Structure formats: structure tokens, C-alpha cells
Amino acid sequence: MTTVSDSTAVGDVVAGSATGVRAMLWRLRPSEVRDVAVCVSAEILRLEAIRVAVVDALALNPDEQVLCYRGVGRWLAANTMLQNAAGNKIAALGAALREFPDIAAQFEAGDLSLDHAAMIASFCESPPKGMPDRALPSCMKTLLAAASGVEATTIKLRYAIAVLERIFESDQAPPGEDDDLNVLRIAPTLNGRVAIKGDFDALTGEMLLSALSGLSMPKPAADGTPDQRSAAKRTANAFTELIRRYLDNAMTGVDGGQRPHVNVHITAKDLAEHRDCATIRSESDDDEPDVEDLDVGYMPWMGPLSVSLTRMLACDCMLSTVLMDGNGAPLDVTPHKRLVTPEQRTALIARDKGCAFPNCDAVPAWCDAHHIKPWSTGGLTVMDNLTLLCRSHHRLIHSTSGFRGIWEIKMGTDHKPWFIPPAAIDPKQRRRRSTTRQGPVHRD
């Protein structure tokens, strides 16, 4: 339990100067340092909301200094360490929040990040063409719920937006899939190097990330020394290798036991043509969107993909079938093999979509298939005994240096993995599962 003196120490750090803060932190207990991190994060959200409101006030009533710039966002960038793009984003959000007080209220209450507020405001400013005006309030409520709280992630919010776009789908491609917006700038620099800057649609991004994944993995030295390259350096080296292999007859490596390719997961029901379903839903008397009833395509790297583009890809693809139960968990009939088969890995990706550990966003290519009950003690290689874990969380579960048994994994009645934290993290040891790429958690 936090004492008054503990609270005072935390408050002093949060309210004090950053100069010399490291000398103060080492005197605090780890629990107090965690409190500082949480308090500072909340304070940043509060100050972000104030900045947006102040900048918008200047936009509505500019003085001579602000009028010297092409917009209040550029004035903010010129007088702070922000770049023009960041200043313009803050100014644009302030203007948008005038029209949507519900978004503004949640943002100013500290329960919505600036980026998520901007995403929701953008959706409300340009809703799907098939969505009636009367449905906007309930859609906004759905998105605000998806973006609130510490478990909110950009992937979850994008998924909710993709579902709403699916319910009210039109022939217009969403911005994330509009390849007409793609740009790539390659320019030689004065020192003889090349600068590259681009912006691509989700499908192109998925292809690029899939191709780079296996080539950019850390590679220990022959003596076992860990790879010292930064992630950016590994990605740059992978890009160079990708070009070299293409020029050498388009050779490709492997990623998770497979050649790099684009994986899109979708239910058979949603892959079939049933546009009438969306039309009926959007014209019904019930304005509350049912995000549980319809699915969207899902890519391991880039996340949600509209059904229309998924159907287009399905016209010319290798189709793999994964049989699911009513909870969306894959069924399995190959229990007597120790190693996970390619078919089982495909099913695991369809179920877990990446590392299943709570709040981990590692993509499938970075994950191992883990036996919940070890094979050595009679654990079978079946879906109800398997889960995807990234290398870091896989080591955590298997570690023998004091961590064994702290986190426990159990398969729920929904045939999906649930994680039970140690009492030191949660005295009630309430079970959790990853919500990074999924909607609301339904506990048994």
C-alpha cells in the first residue's frame, strides 16, 4: 500500500524538473518508479489536451504573431521543437473537436490519446458513404469505447473502424487501402548517399514487411555474441539483401518455415458475396452497429483489411482452410507429433494473430509455437495445448532463473489461451488474454 511519504516522493518527481531526475529515481522502490511512469503518462495526456485547446483558441482568435504564419500549426512548430506536420496535426484536431464534443470530452478527461482522438474524428468527419446520419452517434460511441482505457491499442481501434466500414461498405476504398495515394521518393544526397521516403497502402505495406521479416531477424555471431545491430540497421541491411536477391533472379528466403507471402485471414461467411447483409443492416431501424456479427480481413503485419479488397485477393490466391469452432478457435486432429506442422502454425496464426501474451504486439513471424503442457511431460501437439509466444515471452515462460511458474497458461472453454499473472502483479490472479488485436474480452 502506498504511504503518504511514498506519494510525496512520487509527486516530487512528477512535478519537478527533469534535470537531475535520475539521481532521485534510484532512491525510489520499483513500485514507486512504476507509479512515476503512470503519473507522468497521465500528465502528458492532460497537457496534450490543454495544448490542443489553446492552439484551437489561437486559431479562432489569432493575433499579429500567429497571422505571420500559414496557419496556427506552423506557428506552433516555429516556436517549439515540434515539426510542421505535428503542429498541423494538433491544429486540425482542435478544429475537429469543435464539431464532436463527445470526442473532446473523453480526450480532455485523459481517457483518449491524441492519435486515437484524431483517428475517431477523421472517421466522423468522413464516414462511410453507406452510413446514414442517424447511425453516427452510435458509431462514435463504439469507437470511443474501443479507444478508451489502458488496454486500448491502435490495432483495436483500426479493427473497430474497419468493421464499421464493412457494415456500411461502399464502393469507395478506405484511405488505408487506396493505392492512388502511394508515394515513394528516392533522392541522392549531397554526400553521395540516397534518402528514401514513402507512404503506401496497407497491402503494399504487408508485402514489404513480410518480405523483410526473415531477412531482418537478429543474427548472433559464430561465438554466440548477440547481434549488436539496431532494428533500423537490420531493416536497412534486409532491404539491401532483398534488392540483391531480386536482381539475382528473385531469390527469396523463409519466414516462420514459409516463403515470404501475404497472409489474409477471413471467415468463409465474409469471404462470400453477401453485400445485401450490409445494405439491410445499414437501413434497419436499429442504429446500434453490431461489431460482433461481421468480420473483416486481417493481415498479420498491417492488421484489418476491408472485405472488398480481401475478396479481390481471393480471386487469384492459394486458399488454405482452417476449420473453426463457434468461438473462432481452430480444430485439430493431429495430436501425436511433437513438432508443429505448417498447417497447425497457419491455424495458430488465425487464432492468436501474434504473441498471445497480454498486451504484446509481436507479429506471427516473430513467434514460436509453445506447448502449454510440455511434450516431455505428456503434452500433445494439439491446438488446445499450443499457443504463439514471441521469443521474449517464450523465454519468460521457460526460464529457470526464478521465473518458472510465475505466469501460468490455461486453455479456456473458448479454446483460446488465457494467462494467469503472479500474485505480485495481481493479488486476485485474474486471468487475461491478449486484446492487442481483438475486440472486447469475454470471460467465462
Side-chain angles (χ1 to χ4, degrees):
M1 183 175 180
T2 302
T3 64
V4 175
S5 59
D6 293 339
S7 301
T8 302
V10 171
D12 289 343
V13 176
V14 174
S17 170
T19 303
V21 69
R22 293 178 181 272
M24 298 177 65
L25 289 175
W26 76 267
R27 297 186 178 93
L28 302 181
R29 295 191 296 270
S31 61
E32 294 173 332
V33 176
R34 292 201 312 270
D35 288 342
V36 169
V38 172
C39 291
V40 168
S41 298
E43 185 70 1
I44 289 173
L45 289 178
R46 185 183 72 85
L47 294 175
E48 289 252 338
I50 293 175
R51 181 168 62 180
V52 169
V54 169
V55 170
D56 192 46
L58 285 173
L60 292 172
N61 187 26
D63 62 7
E64 291 81 0
Q65 291 193 36
V66 174
L67 290 173
C68 292
Y69 295 86
R70 288 190 294 123
V72 66
R74 287 180 176 269
W75 167 84
L76 180 64
N79 289 273
T80 65
M81 289 189 285
L82 293 175
Q83 299 301 305
N84 282 335
N88 290 337
K89 182 176 182 179
I90 291 169
L93 178 58
L97 293 183
R98 296 178 216 155
E99 305 297 324
F100 305 108
D102 289 346
I103 304 176
Q106 188 160 316
F107 175 55
E108 291 166 2
D111 198 33
L112 188 67
S113 72
L114 185 146
D115 287 337
H116 290 173
M119 290 175 65
I120 298 174
S122 177
F123 174 88
C124 294
E125 286 179 321
S126 302
K129 292 188 179 297
M131 189 179 80
D133 293 340
R134 66 178 185 273
L136 182 59
S138 58
C139 290
M140 184 191 304
K141 181 180 177 182
T142 298
L143 296 181
L144 287 173
S148 66
V150 295
E151 291 188 346
T153 64
T154 300
I155 287 290
K156 283 178 61 178
L157 180 57
R158 284 184 53 217
Y159 184 87
I161 291 174
V163 170
L164 293 177
E165 289 173 339
R166 166 68 190 102
I167 293 175
F168 304 106
E169 69 177 336
S170 67
D171 293 331
Q172 183 179 13
E177 297 172 11
D178 189 353
D179 56 12
D180 286 339
L181 301 178
N182 290 359
V183 292
L184 178 65
R185 296 181 177 89
I186 304 177
T189 64
L190 294 177
N191 61 354
R193 298 181 61 80
V194 173
I196 301 176
K197 184 178 181 180
D199 182 24
F200 293 97
D201 62 281
L203 180 58
T204 303
E206 182 75 11
M207 290 189 291
L208 179 60
L209 291 171
S210 296
L212 292 175
S213 174
L215 300 175
S216 60
M217 297 291 285
K219 296 179 180 178
D223 60 358
T225 304
D227 195 332
Q228 299 298 315
R229 296 175 299 167
S230 66
K233 177 61 175 175
R234 295 199 312 269
T235 302
N237 290 351
F239 190 67
T240 301
E241 179 66 11
L242 185 67
I243 297 172
R244 187 191 68 78
R245 293 190 182 194
Y246 173 77
L247 295 177
D248 290 344
N249 302 316
M251 296 170 56
T252 59
V254 295
D255 186 358
Q258 299 175 324
R259 291 166 64 88
H261 58 284
V262 173
N263 284 302
V264 181
H265 303 137
I266 190 169
T267 65
K269 178 190 73 173
D270 290 320
L271 184 59
E273 287 288 348
H274 60 294
R275 289 179 60 90
D276 291 343
C277 175
T279 303
I280 294 172
R281 185 174 299 277
S282 65
E283 295 175 354
S284 67
D285 294 332
D286 184 6
D287 294 335
E288 188 72 27
D290 185 0
V291 297
E292 299 291 336
D293 192 41
L294 290 176
D295 205 349
V296 295
Y298 191 93
M299 298 182 294
W301 284 102
M302 297 297 295
L305 187 69
S306 71
V307 173
S308 57
L309 184 55
T310 304
R311 289 174 184 153
M312 184 196 75
L313 294 175
C315 290
D316 182 20
C317 71
M318 293 182 64
L319 188 63
S320 298
T321 302
V322 180
L323 186 62
M324 304 280 198
D325 65 10
N327 293 313
L331 302 176
D332 185 88
V333 291
T334 56
H336 300 299
K337 296 181 180 179
R338 182 179 69 85
L339 299 178
V340 172
T341 66
E343 292 78 13
Q344 286 177 313
R345 185 174 178 86
T346 298
L348 283 171
I349 293 172
R351 186 192 70 191
D352 296 346
K353 297 182 175 66
C355 181
F357 198 89
N359 299 318
C360 182
D361 59 0
V363 296
W366 299 347
C367 295
D368 302 324
H370 168 71
H371 284 75
I372 297 174
K373 179 180 180 181
W375 171 267
S376 59
T377 60
L380 300 178
T381 308
V382 295
M383 294 304 299
D384 273 359
N385 193 45
L386 295 171
T387 186
L388 287 182
L389 293 176
C390 68
R391 308 292 157 77
S392 177
H393 288 126
H394 203 177
R395 285 195 299 270
L396 173 66
I397 296 298
H398 279 287
S399 176
T400 58
S401 57
F403 285 102
R404 181 180 294 278
I406 287 185
W407 279 90
E408 186 178 359
I409 308 176
K410 287 188 178 295
M411 193 62 66
T413 57
D414 57 358
H415 300 287
K416 295 180 181 179
W418 291 79
F419 293 76
I420 302 175
I425 293 179
D426 181 1
K428 296 183 178 180
Q429 292 190 286
R430 290 165 291 197
R431 61 191 192 133
R432 312 173 183 182
R433 70 176 173 86
S434 175
T435 58
T436 305
R437 303 170 182 81
Q438 305 177 42
V441 174
H442 300 284
R443 291 181 169 85
D444 299 331

